C-alpha cells in the first residue's frame, strides 16, 4: 500500500468532474486500498478520488469511532433525501478550517463496491453529511463553496501562503 498526496484548495484539479467507473480490476482495488490508508493516516473520515488527483467516481469513508468500518462507494447516486441538517465540516483538502454547512439529514444512496456489485445505504446524520460532502468532490465542488466568498477568499489566501512557505 502507499500513501497518496492529497490536493489542497485552491488547486484547480479539485474542480475536475469525475467520470464513471466501468472497469473493476486490480488497479481499482489498489487505489481503494491506498485511499483508505491515506484517509486513516491523515486522519479523516472520508476521501474522494478527486482529492488524490484521480478523477473517477470513487469515495471511501469510515465514520466509526474505532476506525474499523471502511466503506467504499463507487458510482454513488442519491436516490432520495430528506430533512435538513447543519453541521461543522472540515476537509482534508482544506486543512485547518471548519465551517457550518447545511445539507440533507438523510440520504438513500445506491453505489457499487470495488467488485462492481450494487448495494444501497440508508444514511443519516454524520454518515449522510459525509456521503454528500464526498460526492460533491466528485463534481469538483468543495464545502467552502457553501460559505461566503469573503470567508472563502480568506481561507484561500492563507492556504496559498502556507504552500509558499512549505516550498521555500
Ligand atoms: Ni473533503
Amino acid at each position: 500500500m502507499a500513501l497518496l498526496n492529497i490536493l489542497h484548495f485552491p488547486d484547480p484539479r479539485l474542480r475536475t468532474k469525475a467520470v464513471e467507473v466501468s472497469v473493476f480490476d486490480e488497479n481499482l482495488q489498489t487505489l481503494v486500498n491506498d485511499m483508505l490508508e491515506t484517509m486513516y493516516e491523515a486522519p479523516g473520515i472520508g476521501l474522494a478520488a478527486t482529492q488524490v488527483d484521480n478523477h473517477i467516481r470513487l469515495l471511501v469513508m469510515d465514520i466509526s469511532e474505532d476506525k474499523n468500518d471502511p466503506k467504499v462507494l463507487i458510482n454513488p447516486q442519491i436516490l432520495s433525501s430528506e430533512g435538513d441538517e447543519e453541521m461543522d465540516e472540515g476537509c482534508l483538502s482544506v486543512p485547518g478550517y471548519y465551517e457550518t454547512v447545511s445539507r440533507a439529514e438523510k440520504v438513500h444512496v445506491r453505489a457499487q463496491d470495488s467488485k462492481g456489485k450494487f448495494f444501497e445505504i440508508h444514511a443519516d446524520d454524520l454518515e449522510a453529511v459525509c456521503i454528500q460532502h464526498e460526492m460533491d468532490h466528485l463534481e469538483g465542488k468543495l464545502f467552502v463553496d457553501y460559505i461566503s466568498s469573503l470567508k472563502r477568499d480568506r481561507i484561500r489566501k492563507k492556504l496559498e501562503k502556507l504552500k509558499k512557505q512549505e516550498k521555500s
Side-chain angles (χ1 to χ4, degrees):
M1 291 210 273
L3 287 178
L4 304 169
N5 182 45
I6 298 175
L7 301 177
H8 286 171
F9 174 70
D11 193 309
R13 289 171 289 182
L14 287 167
R15 299 307 188 176
T16 314
K17 192 173 170 0
V19 298
E20 275 301 276
V21 174
S22 53
V23 181
F24 296 82
D25 60 3
E26 291 247 315
N27 290 338
L28 181 69
Q29 189 59 58
T30 302
L31 176 62
V32 166
N33 293 342
D34 289 347
M35 280 175 60
L36 281 167
E37 192 188 6
T38 303
M39 176 187 76
Y40 285 127
E41 213 272 336
I45 60 168
L47 187 68
T50 311
Q51 293 175 274
V52 292
D53 202 21
N54 207 313
H55 302 283
I56 59 170
R57 305 190 78 78
L58 154 66
L59 61 92
V60 298
M61 54 189 274
D62 187 344
I63 57 155
S64 70
E65 246 170 60
D66 298 331
K67 300 291 164 209
N68 57 5
D69 188 22
K71 286 186 179 153
V72 178
L73 278 70
I74 296 171
N75 300 328
Q77 270 186 297
I78 293 181
L79 302 177
S80 65
S81 59
E82 61 176 286
D84 291 298
E85 170 127 27
E86 288 206 332
M87 221 180 255
D88 278 353
E89 293 187 21
C91 178
L92 294 175
S93 293
V94 192
Y97 292 90
Y98 299 86
E99 298 288 344
T100 308
V101 179
S102 173
R103 298 191 190 269
E105 184 192 357
K106 295 178 183 182
V107 287
H108 177 192
V109 181
R110 187 169 189 253
Q112 284 165 280
D113 67 14
S114 52
K115 301 265 190 287
K117 191 170 171 263
F118 283 94
F119 64 96
E120 292 185 13
I121 299 182
H122 288 270
D124 58 12
D125 297 318
L126 180 60
E127 185 173 39
V129 166
C130 188
I131 289 174
Q132 292 170 82
H133 175 118
E134 302 310 331
M135 282 183 70
D136 269 358
H137 278 301
L138 304 180
E139 299 301 322
K141 195 166 182 182
L142 296 163
F143 84 96
V144 290
D145 297 344
Y146 294 93
I147 63 177
S148 74
S149 56
L150 196 77
K151 267 193 190 171
R152 185 167 55 250
D153 253 23
R154 208 182 300 147
I155 295 174
R156 177 177 58 77
K157 280 179 192 147
K158 285 198 181 143
L159 288 179
E160 277 171 345
K161 201 170 149 194
L162 211 69
K163 198 173 182 188
K164 265 184 213 149
Q165 284 169 350
E166 276 166 12
K167 273 185 191 158
S168 60

